[in-house]
Amino acid sequence: PSTSNADWFYNSETHNLELRLDWHLINVSDPSHRYVLDDKADTKKIEYSQTEGFYLYLFITDKKDKLLKQYPENKPLFFTWEMWENPVYTERKKTLYDTFQSYFSEKLSLSRNPLPSKTEKFEVTDFYMGKQGAVSISFDEQSYSQYLYAYPILKKYDLKATFSIIPEWNKKRHFTAEYQGLSISRMGKNEWQILKNSGDEIAALCGVNPDCIKLLENYPQIKTLHFSNKLKTKIFERFLFVRKNASGTYRGTSYRFIVPSMISEKELYKTLLQNKGKWSIINYKHIFKDSLSIHKLDSLKLAQDFVQLEKFKRQIRLIRNTNYWIDTEQNIFKYLFEKQKSRIVTKKFGDIIFLQIVSELNPAVYNMPLSVRYTSNVKIIRVSGSEADGIYNNRTGSIIINVIPGKEVRIEKIK
């Protein structure tokens, strides 16, 4: 009720209950042609289709959601409406009409001073493309359910994630390993390679096994480490990003660690909103389709390490809809760390500006494009040498240019 026009009214004399629902609350995307959302599997888009109308039931329950009565008992009510091309409307004077008429009849003193021009400036945005926050979707424990269930959903929405492997589980094909008395299927090298080829990140998970780091010598391409608190920090040098299963800071870069299986979707959404301006790592372990396979687990372990597939789907859609930057742990860390260690240098020659991001870091490793916000009164700007060259229409007073550190970008003021 706080974020929509949904409303209700109950007449205690006639015992009539009236409900008003927004179109979007019942998934209607275009009421003029009776189109409703129809999100098809295995596609990146959210599709729609035309409906004949709605079939309605009323359910009366007690406070524990126990069903007391259903109306109608058999055949549902049916509701539909006429489609239209041009909406029908009527004009009327609103309550404030006379008040505004009286107010604006008085002589107004209008300032003739022009609006102050915006100062031309360059700044690296806190997150890629000027997003208001960042999210990494992360997976531990090498569960085959991540490949079987999570990977297709992430691929549908074109989202990249970080999947960690356990070095001692060096199998070619997926295999079974025990977990809390259950036989859990785990990913093998074949699945890792498919994930890597799709643009996902492969990290390493090391617990208390002292041979873990030695085993990782066989995987020089792995640059992200998930570790136990008992692991000694001296082995961190060969990795780009290292994190534990808790909120923390690495090389001056902070992250918030979230276990979404233990909270509701509403709580997850609230947590993400509270983390605006921060980097959140959302961590999953095992995904299950039904409860038959995990009935042996106690409820606490179930809540911590297992998430039901339908809940996972809803959470991923929720994460996607935050409009935060969603990327792998390595990419987000690189951006935030590069931002700390870089500065913008510009040279101006009339209407031409040469821009470069100077970094003290190794460019062979730290090569994540940084998003530079260019604020200017110029309406048309030509950019070359960036990640997305072309002519920009500056409608909002600023544009964002993605610049690789060390590479020079040419900015031309056209109009």
Side-chain angles (χ1 to χ4, degrees), residues 210 213 225 227-239 242 250-251:
I213 301 303
L225 176 66
F227 77 103
S228 163
N229 290 336
K230 297 180 181 180
L231 206 62
K232 294 181 180 179
T233 57
K234 66 180 182 179
I235 53 89
F236 291 170
E237 295 179 0
R238 60 149 289 191
F239 296 99
V242 177
Y250 183 68
R251 294 185 180 177

Side-chain angles (χ1 to χ4, degrees), residues 124-282:
V124 177
T125 62
D126 290 338
F127 299 99
Y128 186 68
M129 290 303 297
K131 298 289 186 178
Q132 296 181 327
V135 174
S136 290
I137 303 170
S138 177
F139 298 90
D140 284 341
E141 294 294 335
Q142 202 174 319
S143 174
Y144 184 71
S145 64
Q146 299 164 10
Y147 176 79
L148 184 64
Y149 298 130
Y151 171 60
I153 295 170
L154 296 173
K155 191 174 180 182
K156 170 183 170 65
Y157 295 122
D158 198 22
L159 300 176
K160 305 304 178 187
T162 298
F163 295 84
S164 68
I165 65 171
I166 298 174
E168 53 261 44
W169 288 348
N170 188 12
K171 309 277 186 178
K172 184 175 182 180
R173 302 182 183 276
H174 66 272
F175 61 100
T176 300
E178 187 175 301
Y179 179 84
Q180 297 288 322
L182 288 180
S183 293
I184 301 292
S185 186
R186 312 286 181 155
M187 286 190 288
K189 286 185 176 179
N190 289 350
E191 288 76 37
W192 307 348
Q193 193 61 47
I194 292 173
L195 294 172
K196 183 181 177 183
N197 291 343
S198 295
D200 294 292
E201 178 188 12
I202 302 300
L205 173 63
C206 283
V208 295
N209 183 357
D211 297 326
C212 182
I213 301 303
K214 187 175 181 180
L215 290 170
L216 278 174
E217 293 176 359
N218 298 322
Y219 305 97
Q221 71 277 17
I222 293 179
K223 298 298 181 183
T224 296
L225 176 66
H226 302 165
F227 77 103
S228 163
N229 290 336
K230 297 180 181 180
L231 206 62
K232 294 181 180 179
T233 57
K234 66 180 182 179
I235 53 89
F236 291 170
E237 295 179 0
R238 60 149 289 191
F239 296 99
L240 188 68
F241 174 61
V242 177
R243 71 143 174 89
K244 55 185 178 181
N245 287 349
S247 299
T249 301
Y250 183 68
R251 294 185 180 177
T253 300
S254 299
Y255 57 89
R256 305 291 297 275
F257 192 80
I258 301 172
V259 181
S261 57
M262 299 185 67
I263 57 178
S264 67
E265 287 86 336
K266 184 177 181 179
E267 291 170 322
L268 174 60
Y269 185 68
K270 183 179 179 180
T271 300
L272 289 174
L273 290 182
Q274 291 172 342
N275 286 353
K276 183 178 178 180
K278 300 181 177 67
W279 175 21
S280 301
I281 297 177
I282 301 179

Side-chain angles (χ1 to χ4, degrees), residues 80-98:
T80 190
W81 64 97
E82 295 294 329
M83 296 185 289
W84 68 84
E85 292 296 334
N86 296 312
V88 178
Y89 66 92
T90 57
E91 294 182 349
R92 63 181 175 85
K93 291 182 180 179
K94 292 193 173 183
T95 308
L96 285 176
Y97 177 85
D98 293 331

